[in-house]
Amino acid sequence: MNPIYASRRRNDIIIRTLCVGAALFGVTWLALILFTLFYNGLSGINLAVFTQDTPPPGSTEGGLRNAIIGSIIMTVIGVGIGAPLGLFAGTYLAEYGKHDRLTSVIRFINDILLSAPSIIIGLFIYGAIVVPMGGFSAFAGCLALAVIVIPVVVRTTEDMLGLVPNPLREAASALGLPRSLVIRRIAYRAARSGLITGVLLATARVAGETAPLLFTALSNQFFSLNLTKTMANLPVTINNFVQSPYVHWKQLAWSGALLITLTVLALNIGARLLGAERTSK
Amino acid sequence: MAVESDVMEAAGPYDRARALSAFKLGDITFYWITRACAISVLLILGGIIISLVVGAWPAIREYGLAFLWTQRWAPSADPPVLGALGPIYGTLITSVIAMMIAIPVGLGIAVFLTEICPLWLRRPIGLAIELLAGIPSIIYGMWGFFVLGPFLANTFQPFMISVFDGVPVLGTIFAGPPSYLSLFNASLILAIMVLPFITSISVDVFKTVPPVLKEAAYGVGCTTWEVVRNVVIPYTRVGVIGGVMLALGRALGETMAVTFIIGNSFKIQSSIFAPGTTISAAIASEFAESDGLHQSGLILLGLLLFVLTFFVLAAARLMLLRLEKKAGN
């Protein structure tokens, strides 16, 4: 065979092999991490994890009930504040201000906030809420999570409303429907699964967030529903327990890590399935 | 469509006028609500900047620009001596090494997914890579601390140290002793974490290449590698660089995973197997116990990080916008 052909073929085979190797490399990490989580976490999962509160140091009893409930409360409130705000902001960008200068500025800033380090959000809320209010509080944690949720929802809302075909809007307007109803009753309805996808992705993003909670909601060792005080939450509890010398705390940390990862991955997969259903229609 | 039909059915002349004015009011209210929410995005950015500058102000006044090149970090000295050189060095070094690993691997996976992979495998592998981005940061930290750190310290690190022992320059970069907590371990974890960003953006921009171009190249007998190198990459270069910058922005600010495995040492050491710290790791590990000037110094570190990531991310977005415009034409 011509030597040029041979070397071209050889290069091609080498590169193809490297690409396959790269894909294996990526998938292997996911498998390894999941394996470690199941290996260390599964044996510790029992009823007590869900029914008992976090134990004092050295104890061999106790679970994660307060941390799980605290995490759920803060995630729900954070998404509850951030999602509507993001939804409306995204609506403005996609429906009202499409050719506005303001829109391109907001879109640009929003994309930057989307990737801004979450610890900076924590510092922001610390300076803006925790210091003036005179102490750590679960509410500050909720706000920190909301600030992370907003850009995610803005982005997906704008993208999804952009996919709604214009003739739908035109038809509705031709029937005499005012603009706000065209958006709420027609565009939202047509983009519904996409909008839900965005909220699910945002929830997945904040459910495991640790850094912004470290100095906003802090954490504690008991069951509390008071939003103005510190509140136990899963990520910070894991962070504190896993670095401790106590065997049972470590075990709880691994179990909590497994729970949180499975929740986040389930949310991610759910969001993607919903999104895929939409595109295949 | 059952829209407001109940209102319309009951509409006599008066009711109709009322309904119309209610529509108008609703219209205006909705418009202003959405506009206010959109503007609140700008307010959040403004709030972040103001709150960081206010918090950092005592430290800015005390240390001035020298903060940037002072290496000593002694918050308990009287008065506290604070310098950002260690964390800045650690942040840049870990991000650079992470990108050196993640760029070739991420692009390799993107090429695999778009050119090589059989169709039925594309979805599952793409999903697996994207799920890597979904795993919470703290999980990477735990895993790096308990699994990856010990593994690297017992295998990869001694190997590299013995190979480069005595070689000038490289010998000091890969100097011993092996350590569970090191800049290199943090870099590797960061590389895994940003991999999905590079891959998914690359896959997206690779899809913007007009099939005709690729078909023409294959038609004249190009191999897959030649098509990728001479058609796909040149066509999508700006977008790929944008994706890489986006990943860099993530790597610079990543916190929990790095905090677990970098060792939190403010001393700058030439070896990448030595412990170090990053800006975000320093904040995460010290902020809760800090007060006064120490706390202000940490907020100033945060401000530096924000400015750094802001410019990297802004550059990334501008590049991606340029490619979008090109694809739009």
Side-chain angles (χ1 to χ4, degrees):
Chain A
M1 201 198 275
N2 185 323
I4 295 179
Y5 286 171
S7 83
R8 284 176 58 196
R9 244 189 83 164
R10 200 182 54 233
N11 282 343
D12 190 51
I13 289 171
I14 293 173
I15 296 291
R16 277 164 174 264
T17 318
L18 285 178
C19 286
V20 174
L24 279 178
F25 179 85
V27 175
T28 308
W29 293 118
L30 183 70
L32 276 177
I33 292 172
L34 288 181
F35 172 77
T36 313
L37 281 175
F38 274 105
Y39 183 81
N40 287 312
L42 200 57
S43 58
I45 296 213
N46 49 39
L47 203 59
V49 169
F50 300 98
T51 57
Q52 295 180 18
D53 289 345
T54 43
S59 160
T60 55
E61 304 212 322
L64 295 164
R65 181 181 71 136
N66 52 343
I68 293 173
I69 291 179
S71 263
I72 293 175
I73 291 175
M74 291 201 307
T75 307
V76 167
I77 295 181
V79 174
I81 297 172
L85 220 155
L87 193 71
F88 285 137
T91 307
Y92 179 82
L93 299 187
E95 300 282 344
Y96 286 117
K98 219 166 187 175
H99 307 289
D100 214 344
R101 223 184 134 63
L102 179 71
T103 302
S104 47
V105 174
I106 292 175
R107 187 181 297 137
F108 189 72
I109 298 299
N110 187 68
D111 279 346
I112 287 177
L113 287 180
L114 190 64
S115 310
S118 55
I119 192 150
I120 301 289
I121 311 288
L123 284 180
F124 162 51
I125 297 295
Y126 179 85
I129 308 286
V130 175
V131 173
M133 286 203 350
F136 301 108
S137 66
F139 183 64
C142 298
L143 282 183
L145 297 183
V147 171
I148 297 173
V149 166
I150 290 170
V152 182
V153 177
V154 170
R155 184 67 201 258
T156 46
T157 304
E158 196 199 346
D159 287 352
M160 292 305 153
L161 287 178
L163 290 179
V164 176
N166 260 333
L168 270 184
R169 296 192 185 91
E170 287 157 7
S173 292
L175 289 173
L177 217 54
R179 189 78 182 271
S180 63
L181 286 182
V182 173
I183 295 169
R184 290 207 304 264
R185 300 285 169 85
I186 309 293
Y188 281 176
R189 198 165 291 179
R192 187 168 51 199
S193 64
L195 300 181
I196 298 173
T197 303
V199 175
L200 283 182
L201 283 177
T203 312
R205 172 97 192 267
V206 295
E209 273 294 353
T210 317
L213 296 180
L214 279 178
F215 26 82
T216 53
L218 215 61
S219 192
N220 61 33
Q221 291 285 13
F222 47 87
F223 187 81
S224 119
L225 295 174
N226 186 348
L227 282 180
T228 60
K229 291 275 170 4
T230 61
M231 189 187 278
N233 58 80
L234 213 40
V236 178
T237 302
I238 294 173
N239 182 46
N240 296 340
F241 279 15
V242 79
Q243 302 184 54
S244 74
Y246 309 107
V247 180
H248 187 60
W249 271 18
K250 270 193 182 158
Q251 181 57 58
L252 282 176
W254 280 109
S255 303
L258 178 63
L259 287 178
I260 234 176
T261 309
L262 291 183
T263 312
V264 170
L265 292 189
L267 281 169
N268 263 306
I269 294 176
R272 266 160 237 281
L273 288 180
L274 210 68
E277 192 183 307
R278 196 194 145 67
T279 44
S280 64
K281 243 191 257 173
Chain B
M1 196 68 47
V3 179
E4 301 292 306
S5 57
D6 42 347
V7 184
M8 288 312 208
E9 268 164 29
Y14 287 115
D15 289 343
R16 172 162 297 186
R18 274 235 306 273
L20 281 179
S21 73
F23 275 167
K24 200 163 183 188
L25 188 71
D27 235 14
I28 294 172
T29 320
F30 190 69
Y31 172 78
W32 281 103
I33 289 176
T34 59
R35 197 177 158 98
C37 288
I39 289 173
S40 74
V41 173
L42 296 181
L43 294 183
I44 290 175
L45 181 81
I48 291 176
I49 295 172
I50 293 172
S51 119
L52 289 180
V53 170
V54 167
W57 191 245
I60 296 177
R61 277 215 340 226
E62 177 76 20
Y63 303 109
L65 276 178
F67 187 72
L68 292 176
W69 55 78
T70 308
Q71 194 194 330
R72 185 149 176 249
W73 183 270
S76 45
D78 189 32
V81 182
L82 301 177
L85 194 60
I88 292 176
Y89 169 82
T91 304
L92 295 180
I93 278 291
T94 49
S95 297
V96 167
I97 300 176
M99 298 317 287
M100 282 164 57
I101 302 169
I103 291 171
V105 177
L107 286 180
I109 299 175
V111 170
F112 175 78
L113 285 176
T114 50
E115 302 290 330
I116 300 173
C117 185
L119 267 176
W120 59 272
L121 212 63
R122 212 167 269 191
R123 211 66 214 267
I125 292 189
L127 185 68
I129 301 294
E130 302 234 323
L131 285 185
L132 274 179
I135 294 179
S137 172
I138 189 169
I139 307 297
Y140 279 103
M142 290 169 73
W143 186 76
F145 184 79
F146 287 103
V147 182
L148 187 68
F151 172 76
L152 288 175
N154 292 324
T155 54
F156 183 73
Q157 291 186 9
F159 171 73
M160 294 299 273
I161 291 166
S162 64
V163 166
F164 290 106
D165 190 27
V167 182
V169 185
L170 286 179
T172 50
I173 294 178
F174 299 107
S179 163
Y180 284 14
L181 307 169
S182 77
L183 289 170
F184 176 76
N185 294 7
S187 310
L188 186 56
I189 287 280
L190 280 180
I192 302 168
M193 295 181 77
V194 300
L195 202 57
F197 295 99
I198 297 184
T199 299
S200 70
I201 290 194
S202 303
V203 167
D204 284 350
V205 299
F206 284 177
K207 280 185 192 153
T208 65
V209 179
V212 174
L213 286 183
K214 287 198 291 187
E215 284 157 11
Y218 280 122
V220 296
C222 285
T223 61
T224 307
W225 166 233
E226 286 161 350
V227 171
V228 169
R229 199 184 60 178
N230 300 321
V231 177
V232 176
I233 298 277
Y235 191 87
T236 55
R237 192 184 294 125
V238 185
V240 170
I241 296 175
V244 166
M245 301 282 276
L246 207 63
L248 178 63
R250 288 280 170 147
L252 287 170
E254 184 47 57
T255 310
M256 293 319 292
V258 174
T259 308
F260 266 88
I261 50 177
I262 199 159
N264 289 316
S265 148
F266 283 77
K267 210 173 125 206
I268 294 176
Q269 299 179 58
S270 62
S271 169
I272 59 168
F273 295 143
T277 192
T278 66
I279 294 178
S280 47
I283 301 173
S285 53
E286 293 194 3
F287 196 84
E289 288 104 57
S290 68
D291 51 10
L293 210 51
H294 181 199
Q295 187 168 73
S296 178
L298 289 170
I299 297 178
L300 181 52
L301 276 181
L303 181 62
L304 288 178
L305 176 65
F306 186 66
V307 171
L308 192 64
T309 48
F310 187 93
F311 282 113
V312 170
L313 293 171
R317 284 299 162 193
L318 288 176
M319 286 177 178
L320 288 171
L321 276 181
R322 251 174 70 188
L323 191 83
E324 260 167 46
K325 278 208 187 106
K326 188 169 147 194
N329 293 341

